[in-house]
Amino acid sequence: MLPRLRARRRRRLRTALVAACVAVALGVAYAVGGTSPRPDPPAYGDVLSWPARGPLAHDQAFVDELARRAANGRVIYAGDVAGERVGLVVSRYPGLPQVGLTAFVGRAGTRADRLAETDPGLVSPTARVVAWADPEPSGVHVLVVLAESRAHTAAVSSAAVARLGHIDRSFVTHHMHDGVVAVPARAPSVRMMRVSVAGAPGSPYDGPVLGIERTPYPPGSRAPRPMRSYGATAGVDEAWRDAAAELAGTYRVPFARLLVLWRWARVLGTETVLLAAAYRLPTGAIVLQVRWRSRRFDNNIAVSRFVRGRLLLDPTEPVAWRMGGQIAVFWPGARHRAVVLNGSVRSSPAQLVTHTDADGFAAVTVPPRMRDPWVHVPLGRSNVNGYILSTSSPFDQDPLDIGDATPVP
């Protein structure tokens, strides 16, 4: 009888201990998970659909105050980085396709209404990556890269190094958490920086960093004179000086040491100037610049490209770039030469042939259904590969490198 009683007591004791453990476990689970906020929705799709992210994203009063400081504002990042506080806000402009990106900056701990407001930049409403930095000596030395939540790495380059005949870059890779990288950053200028994001849908992003240029660079009072000029000469002086000054400031090269191999210009009406120029830097590196200047929009759409792949060492070689729905081709001094645009329409090979004008310029309209267009220019017995510079838009493009060229099959 006694052994059975002791056995029943042991079973009751074990049952009580198990029940106590379960109660403790449930209490801990409730304390840890039951009272915590629900996980944030992941950031998918374009920038206008992203939730606020960053260490301060859950400070609703802070986020609401930031959003109020920008018309139609939506906060996409709020946090303290390396002793600085950064808030990034996107704004939809009525009647315009662009989305404004405004950064609010200050020391860590600053209230939202006391943060300094920087000049807004522009991003595409369908952008899948936003990179913003203030890296210069008088800046806050911060870089923030935002992408979709599934993006996993962001490689950052702080400067382009000009070598003989080409440009080199080195990258530092950062792992993204929920599609975010926020790190200290220093660079000679915002324009020198570049970010490559991997793991996002579609092709990996490889492009510029937005921000403000705090350190002006005075290249000189007189713009460099091109060795060869094509197209319009009247009415382009102001646009030309601005274009040359922008490039000189980007690479910190004064006008006196900037060699312009050729310049082509065209004036459209009274408001728009198109410019293309090839520069040789003191190191021997070649830079191709394409620039639109429109007084109507009171802004400039400017894209500079290093030519990589087949080096542009001969100033007489043809070059090509996107210009809206067209491919522009310029072959310095080569008039009435054939230009062939290749691609595929409904999976069938297609070709369009046009000829350069008296200046050596041609514009080929790309059919909406043409896939993977590339250009070649017949040169006697052989063909020269054509490189299409991705300058159709100021958004999501790298201002310092065209990337890999598309080879002729």
Side-chain angles (χ1 to χ4, degrees):
M1 181 70 179
L2 185 61
R4 280 185 291 181
L5 179 61
R6 289 175 178 172
R8 282 199 299 270
R9 286 177 178 174
R10 284 197 297 268
R11 285 196 297 270
R12 289 174 183 171
L13 179 61
R14 284 197 298 269
T15 301
L17 288 174
V18 170
C21 291
V22 170
V24 170
L26 289 175
V28 171
Y30 179 80
V32 173
T35 61
S36 64
R38 293 181 179 179
D40 292 328
Y44 291 144
D46 59 64
V47 64
L48 289 172
S49 66
W50 289 349
R53 285 176 286 177
L56 296 175
H58 293 294
D59 188 337
Q60 198 59 49
F62 182 85
V63 170
D64 290 344
E65 178 60 30
L66 271 187
R68 279 193 293 270
R69 294 191 60 181
N72 303 314
R74 181 184 181 94
V75 178
I76 58 174
Y77 179 83
D80 292 340
V81 184
E84 304 291 340
R85 177 157 289 185
V86 177
L88 299 181
V89 182
V90 290
S91 302
R92 177 64 107 167
Y93 294 152
L96 292 178
Q98 296 93 342
V99 172
L101 175 70
T102 304
F104 297 90
V105 298
R107 299 297 299 174
T110 304
R111 288 174 11 195
D113 60 342
R114 299 292 181 87
L115 293 173
E117 181 177 351
T118 67
D119 294 335
L122 296 176
V123 296
S124 167
T126 60
R128 297 298 181 94
V129 173
V130 170
W132 178 89
D134 189 4
E136 297 180 49
S138 59
V140 298
H141 306 138
V142 170
L143 167 71
V144 178
V145 183
L146 303 174
E148 291 195 356
S149 294
R150 57 191 131 182
H152 52 73
T153 59
V156 180
S157 175
S158 297
V161 181
R163 308 286 186 190
L164 179 61
H166 67 285
I167 304 299
D168 284 344
R169 277 188 178 274
S170 60
F171 287 84
V172 176
T173 300
H174 302 272
H175 291 284
M176 308 189 83
H177 301 282
D178 190 30
V180 177
V181 164
V183 292
R186 292 178 183 269
S189 68
V190 173
R191 284 188 302 232
M192 276 288 190
M193 300 186 75
R194 174 177 168 184
V195 168
S196 294
V197 174
S203 299
Y205 172 84
D206 193 350
V209 175
L210 296 174
I212 56 175
E213 297 289 347
R214 292 181 178 269
T215 307
Y217 179 81
S221 58
R222 181 173 296 180
R225 178 173 296 180
M227 297 176 61
R228 297 181 179 88
S229 291
Y230 304 94
T233 56
V236 301
D237 289 346
E238 183 182 359
W240 169 239
R241 193 193 185 285
D242 287 348
E246 180 188 55
L247 189 132
T250 296
Y251 304 113
R252 302 300 195 257
V253 177
F255 283 158
R257 301 185 64 203
L258 201 59
L259 181 64
V260 185
L261 304 176
W262 54 260
R263 184 196 74 189
W264 169 84
R266 178 158 293 180
V267 179
L268 303 178
T270 60
E271 299 177 336
T272 303
V273 177
L274 306 181
L275 285 168
Y279 302 79
R280 189 189 299 274
L281 302 185
T283 60
I286 304 297
V287 180
L288 177 68
Q289 182 190 52
V290 179
R291 186 180 179 96
W292 289 258
R293 176 177 175 140
S294 176
R295 294 185 179 90
R296 181 177 57 175
F297 296 110
D298 191 30
N299 70 351
N300 297 312
I301 299 175
V303 184
S304 302
R305 293 287 188 268
F306 295 137
V307 176
R308 194 171 67 183
R310 175 177 56 86
L311 300 178
L312 180 67
L313 296 178
D314 182 351
T316 64
E317 288 187 2
V319 294
W321 65 93
R322 280 198 178 274
M323 191 169 62
Q326 296 180 314
I327 303 296
V329 179
F330 183 66
W331 192 354
R335 63 179 64 190
H336 311 309
R337 300 294 183 90
V339 174
V340 182
L341 177 68
N342 298 267
S344 61
V345 177
R346 294 180 179 176
S347 301
S348 299
Q351 285 189 336
L352 293 176
V353 180
T354 188
H355 291 80
T356 59
D357 61 15
D359 296 326
F361 176 78
V364 190
T365 299
V366 181
R369 296 190 302 265
M370 178 173 276
R371 300 165 56 89
D372 304 322
W374 53 272
V375 168
H376 76 264
V377 182
L379 288 177
R381 298 179 180 177
S382 62
N383 294 331
V384 172
N385 295 357
Y387 297 91
I388 301 174
L389 310 188
S390 300
T391 61
S392 58
S393 166
F395 313 115
D396 298 344
Q397 304 294 346
D398 178 10
L400 296 178
D401 198 342
I402 65 169
D404 293 329
T406 303
V408 173

